[in-house]
Amino acid sequence: MSDFFTVSVLVSVFASGIRLATPYLLASLGETIGQRSGVLNLGVDGIMLLAAFGAYYTALKTDNLWLAVLVALLVGLMVGVVYGLITVSLHAAQGISGIGIFLFGLGFSDLLFQVWVGTPLPVPHKLPKLSIPGLGSIPNIGEALFQHNLMTYGAFMLVPAVMFLLQKTTFGMNVRAVGENPQAADSLGVSVGRTRFMAILLGSSAAGLAGAALVLQGGIFQANLTNGLGFIAIAIVYFGAWRPLGAMAGSLLYGMVNATVVQLKVQGTIPRSASDLASMAPAVITILALVFLAGRVKAPAALTKPFARH
Amino acid sequence: MKANTRTWYRLVALLLSFGLVAAACGGSDSAGSDASDGGTDETTDAGDDSSGGGETLTMAIVAPSAKNDLAFTQSMVDAINALDRDVDLQITDGTFVVEDAAAAIRGYAEDGVQVIVAHGTQYGGSLAEIAPDFPDTTFIWGTASDTQGLDNVFAYFPAADEGGYVNGILAAGLSESGKIGVVGPIEAGDAVAYIAGFQSGAEANGAEVSVVYTGSFGDVALAAETATAHIANGSDVLTGTAQMVVGAVGVANDAGVPWFGTQANQTSLAPDIVVASQVYHWEVVLEEMLTLRDGGTKGGQAFEIDLANGGLVIEFNDKFELSDELKAEADAAIAGIIDGSISTGA
C-alpha cells in the first residue's frame, strides 16, 4: 500500500481518473440540462454508441479528428430531434422512449460497424495530448492536470458554461421553470415544448460528444463500446443533485475510484482473490452516495412528466 | 399545418420502425461458409438426419461478442468457415445477456438447425434446460470441460495455458525491465488458463508478472487504463485476453510496448508491436464432433484443443523482428509441452 502514496503513482492515478471521467462528465452535463427541464433521457447510452461510431468511422476514413467530433455532435443532435419529437411533441412516456433509443443505438451502431467496417481497425490517430503552456510543465501537477486532450479540457470548461447557462440566462431560467412547474411557466408565456426540446437537443449533443471522447481517446470501436457508461452518467446526475458541479464531482469520483482500483491491482495491493469485489467499488460507492443523498436533495418536480396544455 | 404535423408523425413512426428492425438485426447475422466448395467428403451415410451424402449441414453460433472481435467469437466463426464441409451458418453475436442467448439457442433448435454452438461458458445453465427438449439436435458448448451429463451436448475447452506458456517465455525474453503486465477480463473460463500459463512461462524465464482482472469483458476504456498503469509501473511487455483488449493494444502501440495476443491473430490491431498470437483452431475438434454426429452420436463427450493436436497454434507477426535465439526457445517450449517434459503449471 505504501507504494501507492508515491508522487509518481498519485500523478498517474489522477491523470487516469481524469481521462476516465471525461465521457461521464460530458454525458452527465447534457443529461443535467435535460432533466432540469423535466425530461429524463434513458437513451444516453444509445446516443453515445451512435455518435461514437460516427466519430470512429469519420476518423478512420478521413483521419480528421475534428470532423469526427463534429459528426458525433451532429449524430447526437439528430437523435435528440427524434427523442424530442417522441417525448415532447407526441407526449410519449419518457422512460420507455429512452429505452427504445438505447436499444436502437445499441443495435444500429453495431449493424453499421459490421456492414461498413467489420474487423476492428484502430483509427490512424487518437486525440493528441496538449500540454497547456506554463501549466503543463509544472512538476507533477502539470502531468496530472494539464497534459490531456482538448476534449477533456473542453468537458471541464463546459461545467462553468452549463452553470452560467442554467443560472444566468433567460433560457436557463425557462429550463428550470418548465422542470419544476410547467403549468405555471406556460401561464407566464414560456413555451414548455420548445424549451424542453432545446434542452433535449443540448443534452443529446453532449452525449454525442461523450461518445466521441470515448472512441477517440481509445482509438477503436467495437460493439457496445460504452458498456453501460451512459446509464452510469444518468446515475451521476442524481448523485450530483441536478447541478453541473455535482455532475463534475460524481464523474471525477467514478473516474478516480476506477483509476485507484486499477492501480492497486497493478501493484498487487488488492489480491487477485478480491479482484472482482474491488471492480465493483465504483458502483458501490456511487450507490452509497445516492443513498446518503436521498432525501437531502430534491429532483425537478416535473421530471418525467409530459406536458400537455389543457 | 395539420398535414405537416401528420407528416412528422409518420416520419417518426417510420424511424422507430426502422430502429426496431435495425436493433433486431444488429446482433444477428447469417454467413455462408467459406468451405462451401470443400465438399462433404468427411460426412457419413448414417441414415439419420445428418449432413452426409453431400447435404448442407445447418449450423448456428450464439456468442457473447461480435463475430469479428479478433478474439473469442471470431475464433469460432473462423473455425466453422474452415470446416471441410458444406455448412449453412447462422450467427447471433453480441448476446452478452444470457437470457437473450437462451432465446436464440432455443429459436435455432425450434427452426430445425442441426448443430448449435453455444459459445460461452455462461450459457451452460440455459443449455441444461434447452438441450433435453431437442434430442435430435446436437449442441456444442464451450468453453467447458464437461457436458453436464447431456447426451446431445459436446463440450470443448482450449488448453490455453500451453500457448500462454510459450507467449510467456517469449515475453520474458523480450523484457528489459523484467516486468510484464497482463490485462485480463473476469477471472473465468479460458482467460484463467491462458494467464496462468503465461505467468508460469514468464516466471520460468526470470520475469515478474503483474496480473490484473479488470472485472469486465467489454470495458475497453478500463482495459486501456490498466495497460497504461502497467506501463507506468515499469512493465515493458504486455498481454491480455478477451475482446476488451483492443483498448490495451492501442495503449501498447502508442508506447511501443510489445504485445502478445490470444484467441485470434491480433496482428492487424497493431502490426508494429504484436509479437505473436496464440490462435484457436476449433475446427480440429469440431470435425471430430461432426464425424461422431454423422455416425449417430449426438454428444456426450468433451474435447480439448492443444498444441499437440494442432488446435492451438502460435502465429508470429513477420513484421516484428524476433531473434533466432528467442524463436528457438519458443520452439523448444512447444516441443517440451507436446512431449510432456514441460509443465505449464496450470
Side-chain angles (χ1 to χ4, degrees), chain B residues 101-175:
Chain B
I105 293 167
R106 186 173 284 281
Y108 282 132
E110 285 172 348
D111 288 349
V113 173
Q114 293 164 301
V115 179
I116 300 167
V117 182
H119 195 45
T121 310
Q122 64 272 39
Y123 303 153
S126 304
L127 211 56
E129 291 177 11
I130 297 168
D133 295 341
F134 301 93
D136 292 333
T137 305
T138 291
F139 296 89
I140 297 179
W141 171 51
T143 57
S145 53
D146 72 79
T147 64
Q148 305 185 81
L150 299 164
D151 57 12
N152 60 336
V153 173
F154 287 118
Y156 57 89
F157 194 85
D161 52 299
E162 295 187 356
Y165 187 93
V166 180
N167 277 357
I169 289 278
L170 288 166
L174 283 173
S175 177

Side-chain angles (χ1 to χ4, degrees), chain A residues 158-173 176 244:
Chain A
L158 269 181
V159 176
V162 174
M163 285 170 68
F164 181 81
L165 179 80
L166 288 175
Q167 299 298 332
K168 303 290 183 189
T169 66
T170 306
F171 173 73
M173 193 178 68
R176 288 184 284 128

Side-chain angles (χ1 to χ4, degrees), chain B residues 216-281:
Chain B
S216 168
F217 283 103
D219 198 331
V220 175
L222 197 59
E225 289 302 332
T226 304
T228 304
H230 275 312
I231 294 168
N233 280 271
S235 292
D236 60 356
V237 181
L238 296 178
T239 189
T241 177
Q243 59 269 27
M244 83 299 167
V245 296
V246 291
V249 176
V251 170
N253 194 38
D254 291 345
V257 166
W259 174 270
F260 287 86
T262 185
Q263 296 179 330
N265 192 326
Q266 294 171 348
T267 302
S268 64
L269 281 173
D272 293 333
I273 54 109
V274 173
V275 184
S277 302
Q278 168 177 242
V279 181
Y280 293 177
H281 287 277

Side-chain angles (χ1 to χ4, degrees), chain B residues 182-203:
Chain B
V182 179
V183 183
I186 291 169
E187 198 166 357
D190 57 329
V192 177
Y194 172 74
I195 291 171
F198 183 90
Q199 187 166 7
S200 188
E203 287 174 354

Side-chain angles (χ1 to χ4, degrees), chain A residues 16 19-20 82 85 90 103-104 107-108 110 114 118-120 122 126 220 222 224 227 262-263 265-266 272 275 279, chain B residues 9 12 19 22-23 26 66 68 70 96 187 199 210-214 216 219-220 225-226 228 233 243 250 254 269:
Chain A
S16 173
R19 279 194 300 272
L20 285 169
V82 174
L85 285 170
L90 300 176
L103 290 173
F104 171 65
F108 198 53
D110 187 27
Q114 299 296 341
T119 299
K126 297 182 194 175
I220 201 151
Q222 69 173 20
N224 193 27
N227 200 40
V262 165
Q263 184 64 41
K265 282 183 182 178
V266 167
R272 213 185 295 176
S275 180
S279 298
Chain B
Y9 287 179
V12 171
N68 46 12
L70 285 176
F96 43 85
E187 198 166 357
Q199 187 166 7
S210 169
V211 177
V212 171
Y213 285 98
T214 63
S216 168
D219 198 331
V220 175
E225 289 302 332
T226 304
T228 304
N233 280 271
Q243 59 269 27
D254 291 345
L269 281 173

